[in-house]
Amino acid sequence: MWSIAVTVTLGIVFGIYIKWTDSLKKINSKFQVLGLTVLLFFMGVSIGSNPEIISNLSLIGLKAITFSLLTVIFSVLTIFTVTHMLRRNLS
Amino acid sequence: MTIIVLVSVSLGILFGMFFSGSYIVHNLDFLSQVTLAILLLSVGLDIGSNKSTLSNIKDKIYSILIVTLSVVFGSLFGGVTTALIFNMQLNEGLAISAGFGWYSLSGVILTNIGNAELGSIAFLSNIFRELITFLIVPLVAIKLNYLSAIGPAGATAMDTTLPVISNNTDSNTTIVAFVSGVLLTALVPILVPLLYTII
């Protein structure tokens, strides 16, 4: 977990001292999409290579999906409602 | 972006199913950690490239608190609702939803203090939460507002889903997302066992 905080902090520190051009920013943004694609592939591999998860997927998948959908929906709605009410203070 | 997400995960699942003895599967933890580290360096560069954003982090404390508390409230409310739908115990629903997307830890905790089925539901629902996050962050950012786009991510806003937030919002929102992700991550190992045993 700490390696995460360290890498982001390192990036921020480098980012402050680098002389940024528009093309450099574009390259960095493209790089993020590439890294994300690879990471998602690995996530898929971790699901696919675990037969227990694949079989559980059909047994308890419905409960799991409902949990994820409702937690996401209510998280978004709560933030949206609160930020909407406080939008003058936030801006 | 949505197509990239679906194609990558699907290819990964197929790869994992058919090449379970391969180098990638055996070294999966290491490989994804390295990829994540490189990716997060790039995200950090993105944040650092915008110096004006860093200077006013104090103004963002309200946004950070609002987002973090809203995600806690919204997730637990979603957990209780799901528990009611499936006629489950309320403490089970609360504990699963307090994973905030951190599937490995919430799954392990609930397998240990609860049972295997509970652990599996926690594991899967938080994996799904992460997948859903990749898919709907772009949509929420456009249709509602940038801060709302942090909502789906929960604890994962500090690592895996931070790139998708930074790609679809601005650097102000990315910082709020990162800090709220850190706070929510810290809450998972406290809230999951607490909600399961106390309520």
Side-chain angles (χ1 to χ4, degrees):
Chain A
M1 260 308 148
W2 288 112
S3 63
I4 288 161
V6 172
T7 8
V8 175
T9 313
L10 269 180
I12 293 175
V13 174
F14 286 141
I16 291 172
Y17 290 104
I18 287 173
K19 283 205 168 174
W20 288 94
T21 59
D22 280 350
S23 63
L24 204 60
K25 281 195 176 185
K26 235 176 223 169
I27 292 170
N28 193 39
S29 173
K30 286 254 161 66
F31 191 75
Q32 279 180 29
V33 176
L34 179 75
L36 205 57
T37 309
V38 177
L39 207 61
L40 284 165
F41 174 78
F42 287 150
M43 194 201 287
V45 176
S46 78
I47 297 171
S49 62
N50 193 332
E52 233 169 276
I53 298 176
I54 294 292
S55 61
N56 276 343
L57 214 64
S58 55
L59 289 168
I60 57 177
L62 185 66
K63 282 182 185 177
I65 286 177
T66 313
F67 267 111
S68 31
L69 280 177
L70 291 186
T71 51
V72 164
I73 289 169
F74 285 120
S75 296
V76 171
L77 286 183
T78 311
I79 298 178
F80 184 67
T81 310
V82 176
T83 50
H84 204 67
M85 289 191 302
L86 300 173
R87 64 187 180 281
R88 255 171 270 132
N89 304 9
L90 285 171
S91 59
Chain B
M1 194 65 218
T2 308
I3 292 166
I4 296 177
V5 170
L6 293 175
V7 170
S8 312
V9 176
S10 310
L11 282 179
I13 292 176
L14 289 175
F15 186 94
M17 288 172 80
F18 295 109
F19 301 99
S20 55
S22 66
Y23 172 83
I24 290 184
V25 173
H26 284 297
N27 297 281
L28 197 58
D29 280 349
F30 172 73
L31 288 171
S32 37
Q33 268 168 28
V34 171
T35 316
L36 189 59
I38 297 169
L39 188 56
L40 289 171
L41 191 71
S42 164
V43 171
L45 287 170
D46 208 26
I47 297 172
S49 70
N50 199 335
K51 296 178 188 74
S52 58
T53 313
L54 291 171
S55 59
N56 54 14
I57 197 163
K58 204 178 145 194
D59 304 340
K60 285 191 266 297
I61 285 176
Y62 289 113
S63 305
I64 291 165
L65 282 179
I66 286 168
V67 168
T68 309
L69 294 176
S70 299
V71 171
V72 172
F73 174 80
S75 300
L76 296 183
F77 190 78
V80 169
T81 313
T82 313
L84 290 174
I85 291 173
F86 290 104
N87 216 1
M88 295 168 71
Q89 300 289 323
L90 285 187
N91 66 330
E92 296 180 344
L94 284 166
I96 290 169
S97 58
F100 304 131
W102 189 359
Y103 50 85
S104 49
L105 190 74
S106 58
V108 169
I109 294 176
L110 285 175
T111 305
N112 281 315
I113 64 172
N115 54 60
E117 190 190 313
L118 204 61
S120 307
I121 297 174
F123 185 81
L124 282 176
S125 73
N126 285 299
I127 282 187
F128 290 149
R129 179 167 186 165
E130 196 173 301
L131 291 174
I132 292 169
T133 303
F134 283 113
L135 297 176
I136 76 162
V137 162
L139 195 71
V140 176
I142 296 167
K143 295 281 178 194
L144 299 179
N145 58 37
Y146 281 176
L147 285 179
S148 303
I150 306 172
T156 65
M158 71 172 279
D159 44 60
T160 45
T161 61
L162 189 61
V164 80
I165 293 170
S166 102
N167 249 336
N168 289 284
T169 64
D170 54 17
S171 44
N172 271 309
T173 313
T174 307
I175 290 180
V176 174
F178 178 74
V179 180
S180 79
V182 172
L183 294 175
L184 288 165
T185 299
L187 281 174
V188 173
I190 302 167
L191 276 184
V192 171
L194 198 70
L195 291 170
Y196 184 74
T197 46
I198 286 184
I199 294 163

